[in-house]
Amino acid sequence: LTLTLCCLLAVGLTACGEKPAPAPNPDPSEETGGNTQIPNPMVAYENAEFPDFSLTGYPDRDGMKPTGFYLIGGTLAQIDYENATLRCAAKTEETEDISGIFYNDPKESELTVGHSYCNGLIFITVKEYAEGTVALWDGCEGDYTYSLWLPGQTAEAAKELIEEFAASVHVEAT
C-alpha cells in the first residue's frame, strides 16, 4: 500500500511539473514586431521651455531646486524635485487629475490662494494619502491644469509649499 501511494505521488508530481520553455526563434525579424522598440514617452529637457509653452514661476531656490525637466507624451510637462513632482498640461474636457497618483480613499480638503501672475484666486484640491499628498488646481485663465505630488508629506506639513507653487507657477506661450 505504501509503495503504491509513493508511486502515485511520484506520477502526480511528474504530471504537474513545469513545461520546458519554448526555444527562441533564431531569426527575430520573423516574429511579430521584429526588433521594434517602443519609444520612451518621457523626453528630458534642460529647462522648463517646452515646444508649445514654458513653465515659469516655479520654485528654484535652496531646498527646492529642480532636478529634471520632462515632456511626457508631447503634452504633459513635469518638473522633478528631490522631494516633489510638479506637472502641467493644457486643460481639455477629459483632463482631470494629471498627477498619476491614484491611491485609495484620500482625505480631501481645499485651499484658496491668490496668484501673483494674474491677480486672481486659485482653488486647490488637496488629497492626502498615507503615501503623501497631491495638490490639484487650474491656472488663472483656466486653460492649464497643474498637480503637485509631495511623497511622504501630510497635507498640513505641505500646506505652505502647495501655496507657494499654486500662487506663482504659470504657463507662457512660446
Side-chain angles (χ1 to χ4, degrees):
L1 182 63
T2 304
L3 183 59
T4 305
L5 288 175
C6 287
C7 288
L8 289 174
L9 180 61
V11 170
L13 289 174
T14 305
C16 293
E18 293 182 25
K19 294 181 181 178
N25 187 343
D27 185 5
S29 63
E30 292 178 9
E31 295 179 17
T32 305
N35 291 326
T36 305
Q37 294 183 0
I38 298 173
N40 186 351
M42 197 167 185
V43 178
Y45 282 77
E46 290 185 26
N47 53 42
E49 294 179 20
F50 303 105
D52 295 327
F53 63 92
S54 293
L55 273 174
T56 60
Y58 56 88
D60 187 0
R61 57 174 169 71
D62 286 342
M64 192 51 65
K65 290 264 186 212
T67 59
F69 301 89
Y70 304 94
L71 191 60
I72 303 170
T75 59
L76 179 70
Q78 177 171 307
I79 300 176
D80 286 342
Y81 292 84
E82 188 174 312
N83 58 355
T85 301
L86 172 68
R87 286 184 163 185
C88 174
K91 187 150 174 79
T92 65
E93 288 182 20
E94 294 84 33
T95 309
E96 287 185 23
D97 182 344
I98 62 170
S99 70
I101 307 298
F102 300 105
Y103 296 113
N104 291 327
D105 302 321
K107 177 181 164 189
E108 289 194 28
S109 59
E110 293 190 6
L111 293 172
T112 303
V113 63
H115 198 278
S116 61
Y117 175 72
C118 66
N119 296 322
L121 291 177
I122 301 294
F123 300 97
I124 308 160
T125 299
V126 179
K127 296 180 179 183
E128 182 180 339
Y129 302 94
E131 297 81 3
T133 297
V134 172
L136 306 165
W137 70 95
D138 291 337
C140 296
E141 293 85 20
D143 49 353
Y144 285 89
T145 188
Y146 302 85
S147 74
L148 180 64
W149 168 236
L150 300 157
Q153 294 192 38
T154 65
E156 187 59 37
K159 182 178 177 183
E160 286 183 29
L161 194 54
I162 292 168
E163 290 173 343
E164 178 183 356
F165 272 87
S168 59
V169 174
H170 62 278
V171 168
E172 291 184 359
T174 55

